[in-house]
Amino acid sequence: MAFALSTMQVESSAFAAHGKIPSKYTGESDNVSPALSWSGAPEGTKGYAVICHDPDAPLVKEGQYGFVHWVLYNLPGSVTSLEEATDKGTAGVNDRGNNDYMGPMPPEGHGLHLYYFWVLALDTELDLPAGLTLTQLLERVEPHLLGMNRLVGTYQRD
């Protein structure tokens, strides 16, 4: 994938950057996606995709590491926020095999994990089918990627 880190800012009303993700947004509780918002997208942005990934998960699968918690795409350029438990966009497949958000739930005793909520700014509005994996999505968006940035949250099972 092309290097595309940008100055776009990603925030959540649910947790601060590098702060603890409240249990409501985890697999141990309500398992709903947190509210996200972003600003400062690169000029020419016409669409977005959102990914949540846990690189600390002890999982290697199909040449990737960690755990994919959320793949969301087909978000038009006019969307700069997602409400809690959003129904916007098109859901891809998480590493649990579901087409929806799967909140943090690291293995017991595995310590603190980091969760990266990436927002990808694209030069086109996509119309991709539901159910793409992270790899499939990245293959399709790479030629359209203008920039990306992330919000990092933390979670640890007690």
Side-chain angles (χ1 to χ4, degrees):
M1 175 171 231
F3 181 77
L5 191 62
S6 75
T7 57
M8 188 167 47
Q9 297 296 304
V10 182
E11 300 175 317
S12 177
S13 57
F15 60 94
H18 296 283
K20 182 181 177 185
I21 298 170
S23 63
K24 176 179 188 176
Y25 307 104
T26 73
E28 294 189 283
S29 185
D30 295 346
N31 202 30
V32 296
S33 61
L36 294 174
S37 62
W38 52 92
S39 60
E43 187 173 329
T45 298
K46 294 187 173 91
Y48 296 100
V50 174
I51 297 162
C52 178
H53 179 254
D54 171 8
D56 299 318
L59 176 67
V60 175
K61 178 181 169 187
E62 299 171 4
Q64 294 187 352
Y65 69 95
F67 192 95
V68 176
H69 287 266
W70 200 19
V71 179
L72 187 68
Y73 44 92
N74 294 341
L75 296 166
S78 59
V79 171
T80 57
S81 65
L82 299 172
E83 66 277 357
E84 178 180 292
T86 189
D87 61 358
K88 291 182 183 172
T90 302
V93 178
N94 62 37
D95 278 345
R96 177 91 43 182
N98 300 323
N99 281 15
D100 55 15
Y101 172 82
M102 175 63 206
M105 199 165 108
E108 289 185 36
H110 203 257
L112 189 70
H113 281 222
L114 301 177
Y115 295 86
Y116 289 73
F117 289 83
W118 287 96
V119 176
L120 288 68
L122 310 170
D123 68 2
T124 189
E125 189 172 333
L126 298 175
D127 185 20
L128 298 173
L132 296 179
T133 65
L134 175 59
T135 300
Q136 292 168 329
L137 176 66
L138 293 178
E139 287 171 355
R140 286 166 177 82
V141 303
E142 184 178 9
H144 303 287
L145 191 59
L146 295 174
M148 56 196 285
N149 216 328
R150 79 270 182 221
L151 170 66
V152 180
T154 65
Y155 190 72
Q156 178 176 345
R157 286 177 78 177
D158 297 325

